[in-house]
Amino acid sequence: MRKSWLAAATLSASLVSGIAAANELTLYSGRGESFVQPIVNQFERDTGIKVNVRYGDTAQLALLLQEEGTRTRADLYWGQDAGAMGSLAKDGLLATLPSRVYDDLPAIYTSRTGQWVAASGRARVLTYSTERVNAADLPSSVFELTDPKYKGRLAVPPTNGGFQAFVTAMRVQHGDERTLEWLKGIRANEPVIFRNNTTSVQGIADGDVDFAIVNSYYLPRFVNADPNYPVAQTFFAAGDIGNLVNVAGIGVLAPSRNKDNAVRFIEYLLSQSAQQYFTSVINEYPVTPGVISNPVLTDLSELLVLAPEIDLDELADLPGTLRLLRDAGLM
Amino acid sequence: MTSSLALLTGSTTRRRPTLWVLVPAIVVTLCMLIPVVYLFVRAAQADVAEALDLILRQRNLDLLRNTLALTFGVLAFTTLMALPMAWLVTRTDLRWRRIVTVLAVVPLAVPGYVMAYALLGIGGNYGALARLFNIYISNIHGYWGAVAALSLYTYPYIFLNVRSALLGLDSDLEESARSLGYGRLAIARHILLPHLTPALLAGYLVVGLYVLGDFGAVALMRYEAFSYAIFNQYSGAFDRIYAAWLSIMLLALAMSFVFMEVLLVKRRRLNSVGSGSQRPAPRAKLGKLAPLAWLYVTVVVLLSVGLPVAMLSYWLLLSPPDLSVFQQVPMTFLRSASAALPAAVLAAAMALPICYLSIRHPSRLSRFMERTVYIGYALPPLTLALAMVFFALHTAFFLYQTLALLIFSWALATLALATGPIRSALIQSRPNLEEAANALGYSPAATFFHVLLPRLKQGILAAIALVFLFCMKELPITFLLAPTGFNTLAVTVFSRTSEGMMAEAAPFAAAIVLFSSLSVGMILHREKNL
């Protein structure tokens, strides 16, 4: 089934590749190379369009794009969270996409202005050590993590885009004051600072920390490699901001001179095979229907019950979140 | 006419340098000032209140304390590793001295972040020891982790310096001291140590500046030093103004190291005149102490060379990556080398006029020019890279994210490394031949290509090898300045390891270590005394 689809895609692509062969796209990716490069390679094979990828952190690249302004050489930006997408859209750096790209997507997976779309969905989860944590120690709210019993046991990646978007969501739901208070409480609880989600999960396995709040798709990769990996993940109580469901978004830069090919790349990400890849290989949630679900993941319907209600378009104030993180002494 | 007069009198100091040398030297000096100027322009964009707020944060004080503690910790450990090692290979009858010497220099080929990952990989509940042998030791990180990682790969700088100082030391001095009835300890205290101090200090400067600028090992060990804070401001917040202020503080710290070394060495050099005799110093018999010496050598070599090699093999064998991963290695290596080699040649070419001017035409101006080359080395690589990003974005956009900018920035960062060997080669080649060529009617260009260049060949090659080695391992400058999609070996290793893909990173790390070892070999090969 999937094979024949791929074959059809390759065939149709090879028909147009004669025209597109000379074309190149520049993609700024706030997502890691291991997630992005396989799909980019597949796109290059199928379309003959070369894609140069600049990898970095989500906030770093979003702010680099703001620094570059209209002179940017980037055609596409693929961010780890809706917040970074919103902040670029607000500054007028993203082009409006043709509506055929997002017409079929559920409303929560596109921006209202049509400037970016979600490529995949993910949830925030609490990962913990199966060796040193028992069920009674699992908090029901992310706010409980400031409790002294978690002192020195929590991993925090303040420079990570997913973490920053989660803080922005907390600000949207609970206000700046309560968020700052929480951040200061976390800081006072002497968290261990990690660079990103992967290293946070590894920190639990290595015994450096017992808990981490990360995106849902990091742990399955380790468990796939080793079924006895000593880390598990869970959700907070239903509706808690700690269970934020976020998306990885992609948009076309307004100054791009390769908009048609850039849109093609986005449509490629929304294709059945790419969505199946995100679901089965990366352990994320698909944004289009008809994808065979991944048995490792909590069912999407269950997830939607657990998730807090947040309008992803509201997660745009990245600078405000960075200010709070700094005020709390976490950056 | 003037040149033949100079030939007769043997004096060169009065002659004015030709424009052929002066103009390039001035251009090089101006290039060196680009990052500094941009740093200050950026920092000045904060208004006074904001600037004060940024400078006077308690956090900066913590960073300063952490950074100093790290530097002194590393200097102490590198001394403990390098000093006895250098003495063993130069002054004792230790067997296989050549092999030990090579093994003591090879850690230079191991990038700091690889050393840090190797250290992080052994311990921990999920580390190599736990999984292979069920041995549970807690993971090394933070201060001691950073000290260990940095010491293990920087100690060869001190070893090399002390070793050549010991080789060059006038053995007659020790002999006459012995004949006057001085004991071994007294000789060590009164003769060896004072004469080794300049070499030690020079080594300390190189290592100290390295420690200030390193961000790979420090970031992986999660130790909050200045360079790590600058990286966080950049990667998490892209805050150019705060990053600029942090950079200026770090630059001030680095320059204070440079001046401290100048002051200390000036005082010492007064009593270390004389170039040393050709007679090799007598070697102490180790006798019963030999097993102890071997134990020491084994521990140091196992930690600094054995550990990274063992961990790279462990990751490769634990879950062998796809063949396609290995197939990328040659291309990535060629990509790295295609940028590192031009940078090495450029750095050597930029070093030439500066060295020539300061040795053949010593003056206040040429001395100033010679010191400016240290700016590039003293600037932490990350700071230099940030300055060049802003320079390109706002002043020279045509250079932005081009290979040319990467090569140029690498050359700026390594100019000081390149001047060392070229300078000593110039000192060894006397000016008479050049003057004779001038007098015989050779044009300055012809003199340069037919007379000077052949005699500097060895020095220039050594400079190229040193810079090449630096660039192959270099991370922060590459990270920020490389063209989009231009993934070097170093960037590939760093991005994969930070995603926990050890096995996929290992072949690339192995390639760095292998090819860097070759350039280390080239540097050592030049020496007769090995």
Side-chain angles (χ1 to χ4, degrees), chain B residues 183-330:
Chain B
R184 247 188 216 179
L185 270 181
I187 292 175
R189 230 185 83 198
H190 295 291
I191 295 172
L192 282 183
L193 208 58
H195 281 86
L196 290 186
T197 312
L200 262 180
L201 286 174
Y204 282 170
L205 182 63
V206 174
V207 173
L209 292 178
Y210 235 98
V211 172
L212 289 188
D214 174 87
F215 107 100
V218 174
L220 290 173
M221 287 296 176
R222 304 195 307 268
Y223 183 68
E224 297 223 298
F226 261 116
S227 54
Y228 182 37
I230 295 170
F231 179 72
N232 274 346
Q233 288 310 316
Y234 174 76
S235 68
F238 207 76
D239 189 330
R240 36 199 199 194
I241 295 175
Y242 187 38
W245 277 108
L246 283 174
S247 301
I248 286 175
M249 289 183 237
L250 191 50
L251 180 61
L253 196 60
M255 289 320 278
S256 75
F257 282 15
V258 174
F259 282 107
M260 217 143 56
E261 199 255 2
V262 169
L263 278 179
L264 288 171
V265 169
K266 206 179 240 172
R267 208 175 291 163
R268 292 287 175 178
R269 265 192 193 140
L270 292 176
N271 53 25
S272 64
V273 277
S275 58
S277 71
Q278 296 304 308
R279 204 144 49 93
R283 294 184 181 275
K285 299 225 178 326
L286 282 173
K288 279 181 192 156
L289 290 175
L292 201 68
W294 275 110
L295 180 72
Y296 170 82
V297 169
T298 312
V299 168
V300 170
V301 170
L302 270 186
L303 283 175
S304 58
V305 183
L307 177 77
V309 170
M311 287 307 293
L312 287 180
S313 326
Y314 166 74
W315 282 317
L316 273 178
L317 297 175
L318 185 72
S319 51
D322 219 46
L323 192 66
S324 65
V325 171
F326 290 95
Q327 287 165 348
Q328 296 163 7
V329 174

Side-chain angles (χ1 to χ4, degrees), chain A:
Chain A
M1 172 72 188
R2 197 180 146 198
K3 241 183 199 163
S4 63
W5 191 91
L6 272 179
T10 318
L11 186 70
S12 57
S14 56
L15 288 175
V16 286
S17 63
I19 317 158
N23 291 343
E24 290 196 11
L25 283 173
T26 298
L27 164 67
Y28 279 17
S29 172
R31 308 204 61 193
E33 187 195 345
S34 59
F35 303 125
V36 171
Q37 201 59 49
I39 202 100
V40 164
N41 292 344
Q42 191 64 41
F43 176 78
E44 287 181 335
R45 271 198 294 274
D46 288 354
T47 62
I49 300 172
K50 183 161 170 36
V51 184
N52 296 309
V53 193
R54 186 168 202 88
Y55 294 102
D57 292 289
T58 292
Q60 170 199 336
L61 289 174
L63 290 153
L64 181 62
L65 281 169
Q66 271 156 358
E67 182 86 9
E68 293 176 354
T70 54
R71 292 179 300 183
T72 188
R73 297 199 176 108
D75 301 301
L76 286 155
Y77 173 71
W78 190 352
Q80 244 200 65
D81 73 281
M85 305 310 301
S87 117
L88 285 185
K90 209 170 72 179
D91 288 355
L93 290 168
L94 296 182
T96 305
L97 299 170
S99 63
R100 69 184 145 89
V101 176
Y102 53 85
D103 267 349
D104 296 337
L105 296 183
I108 54 160
Y109 291 137
T110 61
S111 76
R112 269 168 301 188
T113 48
Q115 285 169 301
W116 58 270
V117 295
S120 55
R122 69 282 293 279
R124 299 289 296 174
V125 290
L126 178 72
T127 47
Y128 60 93
S129 162
T130 51
E131 291 163 343
R132 297 177 301 279
V133 176
N134 46 40
D137 278 341
L138 294 176
S140 63
S141 164
V142 73
F143 283 99
E144 286 172 33
L145 288 171
T146 56
D147 189 286
K149 78 174 167 190
Y150 300 110
K151 201 174 187 108
R153 298 173 73 189
L154 178 69
V156 170
T159 52
N160 174 263
F163 179 79
Q164 292 170 347
F166 151 70
V167 173
T168 312
M170 186 185 265
R171 292 171 57 212
V172 170
Q173 195 171 62
H174 297 281
D176 278 11
E177 208 172 310
R178 179 119 191 255
T179 306
L180 181 61
E181 191 189 321
W182 181 77
L183 288 171
K184 282 182 170 163
I186 289 288
R187 170 76 183 169
N189 238 354
E190 296 166 13
V192 183
I193 305 295
F194 282 85
R195 276 192 61 227
N196 53 27
N197 289 304
T198 307
T199 48
S200 303
V201 174
Q202 285 176 317
I204 299 178
D206 272 332
D208 298 338
V209 284
D210 298 341
F211 299 93
I213 35 177
V214 297
N215 284 342
S216 51
Y217 51 90
Y218 289 93
L219 180 60
R221 208 175 62 185
F222 287 103
V223 176
N224 283 343
D226 173 12
N228 297 319
Y229 200 71
V231 183
Q233 63 188 31
T234 182
F235 289 99
F236 298 98
D240 190 80
I241 193 67
N243 301 342
L244 175 72
V245 169
N246 202 341
V247 297
I250 186 158
V252 176
L253 274 303
S256 164
R257 266 173 270 164
N258 301 310
K259 288 204 180 71
D260 289 343
N261 281 338
V263 167
R264 263 180 87 185
F265 185 79
I266 295 182
E267 287 178 313
Y268 192 84
L269 293 190
L270 297 175
S271 70
Q272 188 84 2
S273 72
Q275 288 295 310
Q276 192 67 57
Y277 164 80
F278 291 133
T279 312
S280 310
V281 182
I282 311 290
N283 302 298
E284 288 185 287
Y285 290 98
V287 296
T288 57
V291 173
I292 306 156
S293 64
N294 180 339
V296 182
L297 303 179
T298 309
D299 204 56
L300 192 60
S301 56
E302 196 185 328
L303 181 68
L304 292 175
V305 176
L306 289 164
E309 275 182 39
I310 288 280
D311 181 350
L312 292 179
D313 267 327
E314 281 186 52
L315 300 184
D317 185 20
L318 188 57
T321 296
L322 297 175
R323 207 159 40 237
L324 283 196
L325 284 169
R326 197 173 292 157
D327 287 348
L330 282 170
M331 267 178 74

Side-chain angles (χ1 to χ4, degrees), chain B residues 469-528:
Chain B
L469 176 68
F470 177 96
C471 297
M472 290 300 279
K473 305 196 306 180
E474 205 283 328
L475 189 61
I477 297 176
T478 323
F479 206 61
L480 298 197
L481 294 178
T484 300
F486 191 84
N487 293 328
T488 63
L489 289 173
V491 168
T492 308
V493 171
F494 190 73
S495 72
R496 293 199 174 170
T497 46
S498 64
E499 286 186 75
M501 302 162 68
M502 301 307 183
E504 285 82 356
F508 297 86
I512 297 181
V513 175
L514 200 71
F515 287 102
S516 304
S517 299
L518 292 182
S519 11
V520 168
M522 238 184 103
I523 296 166
L524 273 183
H525 182 68
R526 206 172 52 94
E527 294 192 30
K528 289 173 241 110

Side-chain angles (χ1 to χ4, degrees), chain B residues 41-96:
Chain B
V41 168
R42 262 304 157 189
Q45 286 182 345
D47 56 53
V48 181
E50 191 192 355
L52 279 177
D53 185 46
L54 288 175
I55 298 165
L56 298 176
R57 292 179 68 187
Q58 167 69 31
R59 194 178 159 75
N60 297 340
L61 215 60
D62 297 342
L63 291 175
L64 178 67
R65 204 182 46 225
N66 285 353
T67 307
L68 285 177
L70 181 68
T71 312
F72 288 113
V74 171
L75 293 184
F77 266 86
T78 46
T79 310
L80 282 180
M81 283 190 274
L83 213 50
M85 195 73 120
W87 183 73
L88 282 174
V89 298
T90 54
R91 290 302 169 95
T92 70
D93 62 348
L94 190 82
R95 291 184 69 190
W96 301 306

Side-chain angles (χ1 to χ4, degrees), chain B residues 130-439:
Chain B
R131 296 188 72 187
L132 289 178
F133 308 109
N134 270 324
I135 300 171
Y136 289 86
I137 55 166
S138 70
N139 225 336
I140 181 171
H141 55 74
Y143 178 72
W144 293 109
V147 167
L150 287 164
S151 304
L152 286 176
Y153 86 98
T154 55
Y155 94 90
Y157 287 111
I158 295 180
F159 168 80
L160 279 175
N161 271 325
V162 175
R163 176 177 161 272
S164 46
L166 278 172
L167 287 175
L169 191 58
D170 194 341
S171 61
D172 288 345
L173 210 58
E174 286 166 80
E175 213 140 284
S176 42
R178 202 168 293 125
S179 69
L180 287 171
Y182 276 79
R184 247 188 216 179
L185 270 181
I187 292 175
R189 230 185 83 198
H190 295 291
I191 295 172
L192 282 183
L193 208 58
H195 281 86
L196 290 186
T197 312
L200 262 180
L201 286 174
Y204 282 170
L205 182 63
V206 174
V207 173
L209 292 178
Y210 235 98
V211 172
L212 289 188
D214 174 87
F215 107 100
V218 174
L220 290 173
M221 287 296 176
R222 304 195 307 268
Y223 183 68
E224 297 223 298
F226 261 116
S227 54
Y228 182 37
I230 295 170
F231 179 72
N232 274 346
Q233 288 310 316
Y234 174 76
S235 68
F238 207 76
D239 189 330
R240 36 199 199 194
I241 295 175
Y242 187 38
W245 277 108
L246 283 174
S247 301
I248 286 175
M249 289 183 237
L250 191 50
L251 180 61
L253 196 60
M255 289 320 278
S256 75
F257 282 15
V258 174
F259 282 107
M260 217 143 56
E261 199 255 2
V262 169
L263 278 179
L264 288 171
V265 169
K266 206 179 240 172
R267 208 175 291 163
R268 292 287 175 178
R269 265 192 193 140
L270 292 176
N271 53 25
S272 64
V273 277
S275 58
S277 71
Q278 296 304 308
R279 204 144 49 93
R283 294 184 181 275
K285 299 225 178 326
L286 282 173
K288 279 181 192 156
L289 290 175
L292 201 68
W294 275 110
L295 180 72
Y296 170 82
V297 169
T298 312
V299 168
V300 170
V301 170
L302 270 186
L303 283 175
S304 58
V305 183
L307 177 77
V309 170
M311 287 307 293
L312 287 180
S313 326
Y314 166 74
W315 282 317
L316 273 178
L317 297 175
L318 185 72
S319 51
D322 219 46
L323 192 66
S324 65
V325 171
F326 290 95
Q327 287 165 348
Q328 296 163 7
V329 174
M331 265 316 287
T332 316
F333 167 75
L334 282 181
R335 206 180 287 137
S336 281
S338 73
L341 198 61
V345 173
L346 179 63
M350 285 168 83
L352 258 178
I354 297 276
C355 293
Y356 186 85
L357 210 59
S358 78
I359 289 174
R360 295 285 191 261
H361 305 279
S363 71
R364 209 180 259 178
L365 177 71
S366 67
R367 268 194 301 275
F368 168 77
M369 287 175 166
E370 202 191 8
R371 293 216 180 114
T372 54
V373 306
Y374 284 92
I375 292 176
Y377 190 69
L379 265 177
L382 190 62
T383 301
L384 178 79
L386 277 173
M388 298 310 279
V389 165
F390 296 134
F391 163 70
L393 266 175
H394 297 284
T395 308
F397 190 68
F398 64 95
L399 277 176
Y400 186 59
Q401 288 181 358
T402 59
L403 204 51
L405 187 67
L406 176 66
I407 290 168
F408 177 59
S409 306
W410 270 349
L412 289 188
T414 53
L415 198 48
L417 286 179
T419 51
I422 293 181
R423 199 173 191 281
S424 36
L426 255 172
I427 291 175
Q428 280 162 16
S429 105
R430 284 180 301 160
N432 309 31
L433 264 183
E434 296 149 46
E435 282 150 16
N438 260 337

